[in-house]
Amino acid sequence: MPRPRTFDEKEVITRAMLAFWKKGYGATSIRELEDATGISRISIYNAFRDKEGLFLAALRNYHQIAHAFLNEDFIAGGLDSIVALFESMAKRRPKDAPEHFGCLMVNSILDVHGISAEAHQIVMHCRKDLLSAFTSALRQARRDGEIDATDREIKDRAEFLVAVMWGCRTTSRLAGDALAGRGIAKTAAAMACGWRV
Amino acid sequence: MPRPRTFDEKEVITRAMLAFWKKGYGATSIRELEDATGISRISIYNAFRDKEGLFLAALRNYHQIAHAFLNEDFIAGGLDSIVALFESMAKRRPKDAPEHFGCLMVNSILDVHGISAEAHQIVMHCRKDLLSAFTSALRQARRDGEIDATDREIKDRAEFLVAVMWGCRTTSRLAGDALAGRGIAKTAAAMACGWRV
DNA sequence: CATGTTATATAACGACTGGTATTTAACGCA
DNA sequence: TGCGTTAAATACCAGTCGTTATATAACATG
């Protein structure tokens, strides 16, 4: 039987995710990934096929975390859940929290075409999840009589909210501080309340 | 007296800007820039010092264009000018228009730290211009009695509008189609109208 | 025409890139 | 104790990166 692996694949993925998050795919070299993950190049190529494979694993990991986070915060639905989501985005975080580097999905959009169709698909899928989360929250709000909107308007508003979120994270990245988007998130929350009939 | 240049520096910058716009700084090699600009490597290094110098020239050029555009659309001020700006963003464009690649400033945010402090500064400056354009438009709206808001609220709303714009352009980049943000811009315009007292 | 400056082309530089080959050591199981 | 598989370390691969040297041609002015 084989010698067992001395590293935890899940943890390697997490660490690689952080590295890509900070510097982007192209600017993160294999040598840097060795340092970041703590395992050797050969182990990386063994476990993930190549650099792109490790990146895809990191993207999927990020997507999974985001998915879980959405499902926690959107159980209730309605306008309050949207407000809560934006408020949670404006929460203070530890100085070394990766949120200060923006959103991995957004950060990857520039290069994702040049990497692979699969990478592009993951980002699209993540966006779709966020979109449908907002959509169902808005639909719930309509069922509860909180808002009055057509399906078309709900779809537009959901896309709008995704854009606000992404713009907020982009602002955070530029400032190097997740808190830079605080006023934005606050305004977004207030605006969602403004939709109340 | 020297042999005159056979290329137009302004046009070289424009072409380089388009190349960086499409693929980003890191992914655009000097060899590609030779093809894009139509001049040789040596001429590039002669005229712009190095790759970063050409990129800075491209960024400044983009900033200048954006600045001029803002000053054209924001002469009137007030809510209508904000609506007009978002509507102009949702306008249909020729298939090869660079707007389908998002916003050069936003696209550059990921790497801008790793390039130079000057690049970072240009992006920040461009954002500041956009911010103050929104701010003065909102102040005008308040003077005209269109809205009722404190200075703090106006500042937050201006930052919010920048985030919406950036998120809209990011969405365009991901979809490879500037029109993908149409619903977003439409909703943003409607929302700005919602601020009317 | 001679001069000085630039353009162009070719070639090359060292450094770094993603990715391998090779070897040796470590381990679970028969 | 071997066997089979993996980990790890070292060295290395060809290719590309940004950048520069060299050498020649083109041009406006004196």
Side-chain angles (χ1 to χ4, degrees):
Chain A
M1 275 296 157
R3 169 182 177 179
R5 288 188 169 159
T6 56
F7 62 88
D8 179 17
E9 193 167 307
K10 199 89 188 170
E11 193 181 330
V12 166
I13 293 175
T14 300
R15 289 185 175 169
M17 182 185 72
L18 291 174
F20 286 129
W21 200 340
K22 285 181 199 166
K23 298 189 59 180
Y25 176 80
T28 308
S29 72
I30 289 281
R31 273 82 173 175
E32 287 175 303
L33 288 169
E34 283 187 294
D35 292 342
T37 59
I39 64 173
S40 70
R41 223 169 315 181
I42 308 111
S43 299
I44 291 179
Y45 284 100
N46 236 334
F48 304 100
R49 183 188 178 106
D50 53 15
K51 185 188 173 185
E52 184 193 318
L54 179 54
F55 181 63
L56 291 177
L59 273 187
R60 288 197 197 95
N61 186 245
Y62 188 93
H63 179 200
Q64 181 189 318
I65 293 171
H67 189 85
F69 178 78
L70 283 179
N71 283 10
E72 281 173 18
D73 273 35
F74 270 78
I75 298 172
L79 284 188
D80 286 342
S81 61
I82 293 175
V83 172
L85 182 65
F86 277 102
E87 274 172 356
S88 81
M89 221 167 62
K91 222 180 298 173
R92 176 165 275 109
R93 291 167 208 281
K95 206 177 58 184
D96 61 339
E99 277 82 4
H100 299 297
F101 298 106
C103 166
L104 175 60
M105 290 292 161
V106 176
N107 293 357
S108 304
I109 288 179
L110 177 64
D111 324 87
V112 107
H113 270 119
I115 299 173
S116 72
E118 206 167 345
H120 185 246
Q121 215 169 2
I122 295 173
V123 177
M124 295 276 283
H125 193 204
C126 198
R127 182 184 129 85
K128 214 185 72 183
D129 278 7
L130 186 55
L131 209 56
S132 60
F134 279 128
T135 303
S136 61
L138 288 171
R139 286 222 182 94
Q140 183 64 43
R142 184 172 60 183
R143 271 195 298 275
D144 295 345
E146 285 188 303
I147 63 170
D148 180 32
T150 65
D151 280 349
R152 176 81 215 173
E153 281 169 335
I154 282 185
K155 195 197 160 209
D156 281 345
R157 285 183 190 180
E159 283 194 343
F160 173 75
L161 289 171
V162 172
V164 173
M165 250 196 127
W166 282 10
C168 187
R169 303 303 294 277
T170 299
T171 306
S172 299
R173 165 103 206 173
L174 180 62
D177 179 10
L179 219 62
R182 192 175 222 171
I184 298 167
K186 218 176 59 188
T187 308
M191 183 218 49
C193 288
W195 286 339
R196 204 167 257 126
V197 289
Chain B
M1 275 296 158
R3 169 182 177 181
R5 287 188 169 160
T6 57
F7 62 88
D8 179 19
E9 193 168 305
K10 198 91 189 169
E11 193 180 330
V12 166
I13 293 175
T14 300
R15 290 185 176 170
M17 181 186 72
L18 291 173
F20 286 128
W21 200 341
K22 284 181 198 165
K23 299 190 57 182
Y25 177 80
T28 308
S29 71
I30 289 280
R31 274 82 174 175
E32 288 175 302
L33 287 169
E34 282 187 296
D35 293 342
T37 59
I39 65 173
S40 70
R41 224 167 314 180
I42 309 111
S43 300
I44 291 179
Y45 283 99
N46 236 334
F48 305 100
R49 183 188 179 104
D50 53 15
K51 186 188 173 186
E52 184 193 319
L54 180 54
F55 181 64
L56 291 178
L59 273 187
R60 288 197 197 95
N61 186 246
Y62 187 93
H63 180 199
Q64 182 189 318
I65 293 171
H67 189 86
F69 178 78
L70 283 179
N71 283 10
E72 281 172 18
D73 273 35
F74 271 78
I75 298 172
L79 285 188
D80 285 342
S81 60
I82 293 176
V83 172
L85 181 65
F86 278 102
E87 274 172 356
S88 82
M89 221 167 63
K91 222 180 296 173
R92 174 165 277 109
R93 291 166 208 281
K95 205 176 58 184
D96 61 338
E99 278 82 4
H100 299 296
F101 298 105
C103 166
L104 176 58
M105 291 292 161
V106 176
N107 294 357
S108 305
I109 288 178
L110 177 63
D111 323 89
V112 107
H113 270 119
I115 298 172
S116 72
E118 206 166 344
H120 185 245
Q121 214 170 4
I122 294 173
V123 177
M124 295 276 283
H125 193 205
C126 197
R127 181 185 129 84
K128 214 187 72 183
D129 277 6
L130 187 54
L131 208 57
S132 61
F134 279 129
T135 302
S136 61
L138 288 170
R139 285 223 184 93
Q140 182 63 43
R142 185 172 58 183
R143 272 194 297 274
D144 295 345
E146 285 188 305
I147 63 170
D148 179 30
T150 64
D151 280 348
R152 174 82 216 172
E153 281 168 337
I154 283 185
K155 196 198 159 208
D156 281 346
R157 285 183 189 179
E159 283 194 344
F160 173 76
L161 289 170
V162 172
V164 173
M165 249 195 128
W166 281 11
C168 187
R169 304 301 295 276
T170 300
T171 307
S172 299
R173 166 100 205 175
L174 180 62
D177 179 10
L179 220 62
R182 192 175 221 170
I184 298 167
K186 219 176 59 186
T187 307
M191 183 218 50
C193 288
W195 287 338
R196 204 167 258 126
V197 288

